[in-house]
Each structure stands twice: as C-alpha cells, then as structure tokens.
Amino acid sequence: MSLPHAILTALLEKPSSGLELTRRFDRSIGYFWSATHQQIYRELGRLEAEGHIRALAPAQPARGQKKSYEVLPAGRAELARWTAAAQDPKPHRDALLLRLRAAAVVGTAGLQADLGRHLELHRRQLAEYEEIERRDFPPGRDTAEDRLRHLVLRAGIDLETFWTQWLTQALAEVAAMPSE
Amino acid sequence: MSLPHAILTALLEKPSSGLELTRRFDRSIGYFWSATHQQIYRELGRLEAEGHIRALAPAQPARGQKKSYEVLPAGRAELARWTAAAQDPKPHRDALLLRLRAAAVVGTAGLQADLGRHLELHRRQLAEYEEIERRDFPPGRDTAEDRLRHLVLRAGIDLETFWTQWLTQALAEVAAMPSE
DNA sequence: CTCGATTGTGCAACTAGTTGCACAAGTGGC
DNA sequence: GCCACTTGTGCAACTAGTTGCACAATCGAG
C-alpha cells in the first residue's frame, strides 16, 4: 500500500500533473517504485478525495488540460506517519532465478538468449543511473537531503551492478553446458 | 504468472503434499519465490484440473489427510516451455527505499528503529542462506544441476549481503542527522 | 486548413497476491 | 474421556497491480 506515498513524496519534491508524474516514475523514481499512468491517475483521484492533495487551478481551465497537484498539510502528515511506521519487508519474487532453478531440472535449452537480453537491459539501466548520479550528485553538495537521496540512488546502482555481474556468470555457466 | 511454475519445479525436485510444499517455499525456495499455503492449495487444484500434476493415492484414503502430488509429462513440458520463453523483468518496488526518499522531505524521525530491525532481519536471512550453502553445496560436488542451483543460491546470499551493507550505511547516515 | 501523430486524462475488466476464517483429524496432558 | 493444541486442507473476500481501451486537445506537415 505504498503507491499513494510514492506520489506524495514525488509531489512534495515538485508539484506535477499526472503526466509529469508518470514521466518521473519512469525515470528516477522508477528504481524504487514503478507505476503506470493509469495507476497514477486513479490514485491522484483518491488522494484528492481524501484531502491529501489538491489540484492547482490552471490559468484557463479547459478539458483535456494539464492539472497540477500539490500536497496539503494532511498529506504531508500522512507521509510522515507512514515513513516512521514499522513495516515488514515484502517477500521477493524473481522469475529469472526461478527459471534458472527450473532449468536445473528441465534443461537449459532456449534460456541463453533471454539471459543475454536481461544482461543487456541491466547494463543499460546501470548506465542510466550512473548518468543520473553524475548529473544530480556532483562531488561537493552535501546537504542532509542530498545524502539520503544519493544513498537511495546508490542502492539502485549497486543492485544493477550486482545483476550484471551475476548474469554474466550465469551466462558463462549455461554456455558451458550446451542444451544439456 | 509464475507460481504454477514454481510449484512444478518444486514437485519435480521432489513430489510433496501441500504442507510440505508450503514448508519448502518458506525455506530454500523462498529466496526466489514466496507463497502462502492458501495460494499453494489453490494452485495445486488448478494444476491438477489442467492435467499438469496428479495426486499420488495415499495408502488409506481419508479426509484431512496428506495428499502428495507428482508432475505429469504435460506439466514438465509446460515448465520447459515457460523456462525457455522470453520474459520481461518485472518492475521492482521497494518500500524501504521509498521511505528513505520520503524521509529526505518529511524528516527521518522514527525511521531509525525500523532500519535497525530490517538490518537484523537481513542478517538472519543471510546466515540462513549461508547455512544452506554449507549443507547443500560442499566443495567438490559439481554436476551441472548443482552448479545452476548453487548459482541461484549465491544470488540470494549476495543480495542479502548487499542489503546488510547498505542498511548499515543508511543507519549511519540517519544517526548522523538526529530527527532533523 | 485538415489530417495524422502525439500529448494528456481517464474508465473498466482482469489477474495475482493477501487476509481472514473454517474445519476435520490426530496428539498429549490431566 | 475430554479439552487444548497442532497438523493439514481449503474457501471467500479483499487489495494492489496490469491490460486494454477510449477520447479530447494540440501540434506539425503537406
């Protein structure tokens, strides 16, 4: 139940419209929370109904027009409450690890190509995060907020680094046992 | 849509009853796929209806009794098909990273305790995986299946290692900015 | 000026996973 | 003998996330 809180965080960092939020969720926010535009619009509606956010009146109201939202005090309070509350980690599920384990039983035929594709995807993601790091966290800036945000980005970078290494090794293993 | 395939993999490794599966999902299978007993029973029913698995007749049939399942050829074929099929990685969501990012905006008050709790949980999980590694993968054994399964376990170990390190660092950062 | 592509917003239906409960059968203590 | 506890199985309702579609406004090319 964290999508509303992800949206509150994003809106506190910068008031945005649904589409702007969608873009930010695809970019930097994506490394700890992802959401489609449909989810986001639905949730914006709920948050507004609950009085946690409100739409900023556009210059000339018209249909099909950008609506920007800002967080109300009640929304900020809810986010602070949620952030401080104890929460159990969600169990993880990783289809790729499962497939490798399955391959130990039914054979590795056909697996290699997709492992390579995943490796490439993770490499690209890693490059993107490193680009964000260069742009948003140049050496020198050192406020408390920056250090926290940088720490979160580092998690994204280190995880992608791990996956590229692991997939490289997995590919080598699978290549060494042709189709079994 | 991978729970059925997780169950097929587990049953191929060793035919089991619903409860035995539940236990195995809580233990070693848990590091790449988790499921509750309710999910497992529901899915066993579906897999049986589809002709992918079948119940082994118990010695003396009675209600409320263990039913063991084994995989049929159709089930094995379906698992092989799924393993080889290209699949896009699922977007990840991590509430803890989100909370840290939120804390950069609304303050870190109250966060420290839960970070410590998570660190402890990951330490324990790590210890458990390392125990499994010692027990199931002693040096020397080297079949193809073993190498694949060991690789999967290594992913679990390395990820837990990463999280313990990251959380240690996060705790240090948060401690250095008291309540903000 | 107009038609097709893009931008921006949104509903509806579906799927997967979670939570809460129920109930039968066996097991150990008193 | 019976009551509380554990084991094993399962249904039903709910929640979160995904997929598929729709439709208005705007913008750029011919």
Side-chain angles (χ1 to χ4, degrees):
Chain A
M1 241 271 304
S2 327
L3 175 57
H5 303 101
I7 292 180
L8 287 173
T9 305
L11 287 181
L12 278 170
E13 291 176 352
K14 181 174 177 341
S16 310
S17 68
L19 187 69
E20 283 160 358
L21 278 177
T22 302
R23 296 233 173 86
R24 294 170 61 200
F25 269 79
D26 282 344
R27 301 182 70 253
S28 61
I29 298 180
Y31 57 82
F32 54 85
W33 210 268
S34 77
T36 60
H37 76 273
Q38 291 91 333
Q39 282 179 278
I40 290 169
Y41 284 117
R42 182 170 38 178
E43 205 57 48
L44 282 172
R46 284 182 194 155
L47 284 167
E48 192 177 22
E50 285 166 356
H52 287 158
I53 62 174
R54 99 177 142 193
L56 294 168
Q60 20 145 41
R63 294 215 289 169
Q65 181 159 349
K66 270 200 249 189
K67 257 192 298 184
S68 269
Y69 291 91
E70 68 174 356
V71 178
L72 295 171
R76 174 183 279 265
E78 166 56 24
L79 184 59
R81 186 204 60 73
W82 177 81
T83 304
Q87 288 173 52
D88 286 329
K90 287 270 167 222
H92 22 92
R93 299 195 168 88
D94 192 305
L96 204 56
L97 292 178
L98 173 54
R99 285 165 73 195
L100 221 55
R101 176 99 170 212
V105 188
V106 298
T108 56
L111 193 54
Q112 214 168 334
D114 208 36
L115 286 178
R117 201 171 62 86
H118 279 245
L119 175 54
E120 186 50 34
L121 289 172
H122 283 291
R123 280 212 181 106
R124 237 172 254 169
Q125 193 66 73
L126 176 56
E128 204 172 305
Y129 290 164
E130 282 173 338
E131 173 59 29
I132 294 178
E133 187 178 39
R134 266 189 299 280
R135 176 160 43 75
D136 291 357
F137 302 99
R141 306 184 53 218
D142 204 37
T143 69
E145 296 85 50
D146 272 342
R147 279 215 302 282
L148 284 183
R149 276 194 273 263
H150 194 178
L151 197 60
V152 174
L153 178 57
R154 286 304 317 175
I157 292 176
D158 291 349
L159 283 171
E160 293 300 334
T161 302
F162 162 75
W163 282 113
T164 57
Q165 287 170 356
W166 185 85
L167 277 165
T168 302
Q169 211 184 329
L171 263 173
E173 285 288 356
V174 169
M177 44 179 103
S179 81
E180 190 166 341
Chain B
M1 241 274 303
S2 328
L3 175 56
H5 303 100
I7 291 179
L8 287 173
T9 305
L11 286 182
L12 278 170
E13 291 176 351
K14 180 175 177 343
S16 311
S17 68
L19 185 70
E20 282 160 359
L21 278 177
T22 303
R23 296 233 172 87
R24 292 170 62 199
F25 270 79
D26 282 344
R27 301 183 72 252
S28 61
I29 298 179
Y31 58 80
F32 54 84
W33 209 269
S34 77
T36 60
H37 77 274
Q38 290 91 334
Q39 282 178 278
I40 290 169
Y41 283 117
R42 183 169 39 180
E43 207 56 49
L44 283 172
R46 284 181 195 157
L47 285 167
E48 192 176 22
E50 286 166 356
H52 287 158
I53 63 174
R54 102 178 139 191
L56 295 168
Q60 21 145 41
R63 294 215 288 170
Q65 181 158 347
K66 270 202 249 189
K67 257 192 298 184
S68 268
Y69 291 90
E70 69 175 355
V71 178
L72 295 171
R76 173 182 279 265
E78 164 57 23
L79 183 60
R81 187 204 60 72
W82 176 82
T83 303
Q87 288 173 51
D88 287 330
K90 287 269 165 223
H92 21 91
R93 298 192 169 93
D94 192 307
L96 205 54
L97 291 178
L98 173 54
R99 285 164 74 194
L100 221 54
R101 177 98 169 214
V105 188
V106 298
T108 55
L111 193 53
Q112 214 169 335
D114 209 35
L115 286 179
R117 201 171 61 87
H118 279 244
L119 175 55
E120 186 50 32
L121 288 172
H122 283 290
R123 280 211 182 109
R124 237 173 255 170
Q125 192 66 73
L126 176 57
E128 205 171 305
Y129 291 164
E130 282 173 337
E131 173 59 28
I132 294 178
E133 188 178 38
R134 264 190 300 278
R135 177 160 42 77
D136 291 357
F137 302 98
R141 306 184 55 218
D142 204 37
T143 70
E145 297 84 50
D146 272 343
R147 279 213 303 282
L148 284 182
R149 276 195 273 264
H150 194 179
L151 198 58
V152 174
L153 177 57
R154 284 305 315 175
I157 292 177
D158 291 349
L159 283 171
E160 292 300 333
T161 303
F162 163 75
W163 283 113
T164 56
Q165 288 170 356
W166 185 85
L167 277 165
T168 302
Q169 211 184 328
L171 263 173
E173 285 290 355
V174 168
M177 44 180 101
S179 79
E180 191 169 339

